[in-house]
Amino acid sequence: MKEKLATPNYNVNIRGRNRSGSIWRLVFQASTILGIIALAALLLNVMNSAFGYVALEARVHPDTLAVDGIALEDQNKEQLITVLQAKISSGAYNKLEKDQPFAKRSTANIRQVILERVLKYDVKQSWSLWESITRAAEIKREAAEKYPGAILKFNSWLSSDFVARPQSSVALSTGVRTAILGSLWTILFTLLLAFPLGVGAAIYLEEYAADNRLNRMIQTNINNLAGVPSIVYGILGLAIFVRALEPLTSGSVFGVVDPTTANGRTVLAAGLTLGLLVLPIIIINAQEAIRAVPQSLRQASYGIGATKWQTVWSHVLPNALPGILTGTILAISRAIGETAPLVVVGASTAISFDPSSPFSKFTTLPIQIYQWTSRPQDEFRSLAAAAILVLLIILLSLNASAVLLRNRFSRRY
Amino acid sequence: MAIISRSDRRERQSPASHVFGPAQETKGDLVVAQSLSNHENAKHVLEAKGLGIYYGDFRAVADVNIPIKRHKITAIIGPSGCGKSTLLRAFNRMNELVPGTNIEGEVLFDGENLYDSVVDPVEVRYRIGMVFQKPNPFPKSIYENIAWGARIHGFKGKMDDLVESCLRQAALWDEVKDKLNQSGLALSGGQQQRLCIARTLAVQPEVILMDEPASALDPIATLKIEELMQELKKNYTIVIVTHNMQQAARVSDYTAMMMLTDREAHSGTVIEFDETTRIFTNPKDKRTEDYVTGRFG
């Protein structure tokens, strides 16, 4: 293009403007990339601990359990029972028989019992995934040297068994089923409390409340509540749900007496505490969503003689629902990852039975992870990593289903 | 009792029910209604008396005294910011949706004050419908856009017939009859505006307020809306706010000329109200003359 004649008092400098634009673009790109790198590092770090070689040493060498030259893996049920009987005390055997008659147990179950009671594998050392890949030969030599009687195998701490097994104090046979169920129960009550209350409050504040000093104060306080540290909610939950409302949260009001329940420290109390925690988040997001519904839509509705409630129910809410659900997704993510308030409310750390009602004792995945990471042994850190992966998977699938739900609702005409 | 119970309404025979005439039963009622309606024809449907409208402390509109005549189109014209829309919205209490709005004076609807404490604004808006500047169909199907209003008012008849009838009155039926289940938002701007008019007709108001209904439309769509208004005025009373003086001259029977009177307070008022032909050919007020001849504003 032919250059335009210089205009006095104007420094047009298009090239300079474009240059500063591209610099900013680079800055934004870099921050995005940094974020992705951080996330990838997090995930890799977790994976690094969750898989890798372990050196396992059995109390009794498996070869000595062979019957008539048949190795343990190939023995049938009767042979396994014989082995078990020979190796543990009759008292222990009778107790197992009482828990569940051997005749009714599966072969796999008996093999598992032998694994836990007789072989008693012990993790002598575990290696990270990175080490296992890069130094496999060295690790094999090292393990053979240091633990001559041990078996070296590549272990995935995250496995279907890990997800399906209840908690146990033995690293190799523990699982997160109890914690997963605890988390899901807790989230259920969190949502049951926070979703209707939060959306209701948002509707009131946006559509009904007058713009006066009291309501502005309420609004400010809700915004502040969203920033209150979660441990504070834990203390609140302890005071209200665990202590003051103990008859309710322990179920004695309903005549439910759960012998395992310890003084209101139940799934219900935890769920309600987390519900209070995420309530401000849900309110604020729902308010935003309701505010985003165009005023013209409300006017259209009022203009044909609709009442306020008809307007809210038929036009405002359906159009705000996607936004409300987005807020709810955020709230679920926050609640499912909370640890501190649950520690205060009284989540159990060692619990081997699944929560079966709102009035059960419970543990949740974050609590379980927290507990495992504080153990000195390496293998528990690997377990924690595996549990983190489980938590992430649950979180992502819950969010995915909420997103699907949202997309369904936001299918507009 | 101020305005209406439903049975009152039947006897008074709203102008809209003429269209739905066959659906209304008893002949006796119709006769009564006819005579009543003749009687009322002499009167004004709506009348602003000493009407002033405040946003908080700010008086946007001051001292308006105009009648709205039955089955006529009344246009409100004037320069931007003189309170035309505010005045229009005072006729069905839409202003109340903005917090801090107040009025002084009164708006009489068949002789009763709309702002009387016993009057329910929902009832007011039910009987005095509104079409807005920007087409704002509900994000629902075309069918549902019309059916919803009737349904919330307890319509018991055949919905399909009502939808068809409203769309026909709004001159939209032929264009949308094959896609009633499609979104109202998928229509063109002009079609959307006619859908909004049809939606208003579905609740059978007595008066339709139109706030610059064609300002967002092209000339062809505008023409359609104007033709539609001529059709509708047989059964309804229409008040229209417009920026477009040609439009006011073309469509309206009466014209109210608004202007900011008080430069200090920025209050608008009606400076002249008369038959449209007279406003445009022989205005009494110099300012009106300047405005309609394009020398001002």
Side-chain angles (χ1 to χ4, degrees), chain A residues 272-285:
Chain A
L272 296 181
T273 306
L274 290 183
L276 283 191
L277 173 75
V278 299
L279 191 58
I281 303 178
I282 292 189
I283 294 179
I284 290 170
N285 282 290

Side-chain angles (χ1 to χ4, degrees), chain A residues 296 302 304-305 314-315 413, chain B residues 97 122 125 136 138 148 153 183:
Chain A
S296 65
Y302 288 129
I304 53 175
S314 297
H315 300 297
Y413 264 109
Chain B
L97 299 175
V122 172
R125 295 179 202 127
N136 56 353
F138 298 131
W148 189 77
H153 290 297
S183 168

